[in-house]
Amino acid sequence: DIQMTQSPSSLSASVGDRVTITCRASQFMSKFLNWYQQKPGQAPKLLIYAASNLQSGVPSRFSGSGAGTDFTLTISSLQPEDFATYYCQQSYSAPRTFGQGTKVEV
Amino acid sequence: QVQLVQSGSELKKPGASVKLSCKASGYTFTSYAINWVRQAPGQGLEWMGWIDTNTGDPSYAQGFTGRFVFSLDTSVSTAYLQISSLKAEDTAIYYCARLYSPGNPFDFWGQGSLVTVSS
């Protein structure tokens, strides 16, 4: 199984900050990496797929990069509605493992 | 518009069974597989497996074999998750999510069904 390790587990930030979250895979997985946002009491929402493709309707302040084993989610200017937990997920092979999540707090 | 609407919260006693539903609308049901994801209270997301909506063939992740059963009723565009012999540790929110093909992301999710197992 591919293990996904996110860092940090949590971070404190302010509105307007640039935020970077990292996801590392235990083995090569090309660009089969997705990012989801989950707000309290809500289902996860797809933000980025295939490492760097912005899902329709997602603000352009979100971006993704990386390939192979190392991936990054960047929020260029944090907005109040961005305080949430973010998960990476690999879609390279089954089981489709998730990272443990990164909580972005005020 | 695409929607996955899940059944409501359930309160069950240990040893009981529960069957959750995930009704799809706004797209061709058999064009997308349905995946199931568990989230225990305060915890992260755990992939349980998926079901091929064309063949009805399920595939279960390790740890979700035996007591967990995925099924379909394509006539009403609905997927089901049945859990038997419930344990306290099955207390969680269960999400369904659609998947176009292997390698793709889960692009739409249901709102989740909370299952609470308590005596």
Side-chain angles (χ1 to χ4, degrees):
Chain A
D1 298 2
I2 299 177
Q3 309 303 318
M4 307 301 295
T5 304
Q6 280 183 241
S7 60
S9 297
S10 65
L11 64 92
S12 296
S14 301
V15 172
D17 285 352
R18 182 181 183 88
V19 169
T20 299
I21 299 169
T22 296
C23 182
R24 174 164 287 176
S26 61
Q27 63 187 73
F28 174 85
M29 39 179 266
S30 186
K31 296 189 121 182
F32 290 93
L33 190 283
N34 313 303
W35 290 98
Y36 301 89
Q37 176 195 64
Q38 187 179 33
K39 297 180 180 179
Q42 296 185 19
K45 170 189 168 184
L46 177 65
L47 296 178
I48 302 281
Y49 63 95
S52 59
N53 294 277
L54 197 66
Q55 175 69 349
S56 176
V58 174
S60 58
R61 62 181 179 272
F62 291 93
S63 64
S65 63
T69 60
D70 293 307
F71 302 88
T72 299
L73 172 69
T74 299
I75 310 172
S76 60
S77 177
L78 197 67
Q79 297 302 300
E81 60 268 30
D82 301 336
F83 291 96
T85 300
Y86 294 84
Y87 294 92
C88 62
Q89 181 214 23
Q90 61 88 9
S91 48
Y92 185 75
S93 65
R96 293 171 158 266
T97 40
F98 291 88
Q100 80 277 18
T102 296
K103 187 172 185 180
V104 177
E105 304 173 290
V106 177
Chain B
Q1 71 282 21
V2 174
Q3 283 192 302
L4 294 173
V5 178
Q6 297 187 237
S7 48
S9 298
E10 301 270 6
L11 174 59
K12 296 291 185 179
K13 295 189 184 302
S17 295
V18 68
K19 190 171 185 177
L20 310 178
S21 65
C22 170
K23 183 171 176 59
S25 62
Y27 72 96
T28 301
F29 183 64
T30 51
S31 293
Y32 292 76
I34 293 292
N35 286 250
W36 291 93
V37 176
R38 182 171 77 177
Q39 188 169 39
Q43 302 301 307
L45 303 171
E46 185 176 20
W47 183 70
M48 301 173 65
W50 66 288
I51 185 164
D52 185 324
T53 52
N54 279 295
T55 65
D57 288 339
S59 179
Y60 301 96
Q62 205 166 19
F64 294 100
T65 56
R67 298 190 299 117
F68 299 83
V69 176
F70 306 149
S71 62
L72 302 171
D73 184 344
T74 55
S75 69
V76 289
S77 300
T78 300
Y80 301 94
L81 165 62
Q82 183 162 0
I83 312 171
S84 59
S85 303
L86 283 162
K87 308 174 183 181
E89 52 264 41
D90 294 323
T91 295
I93 298 173
Y94 293 84
Y95 293 101
C96 61
R98 77 170 194 173
L99 170 68
Y100 183 64
S101 66
N104 283 49
F106 301 162
D107 64 345
F108 278 92
W109 295 62
Q111 84 279 17
S113 295
L114 172 63
V115 175
T116 303
V117 183
S118 174
S119 54

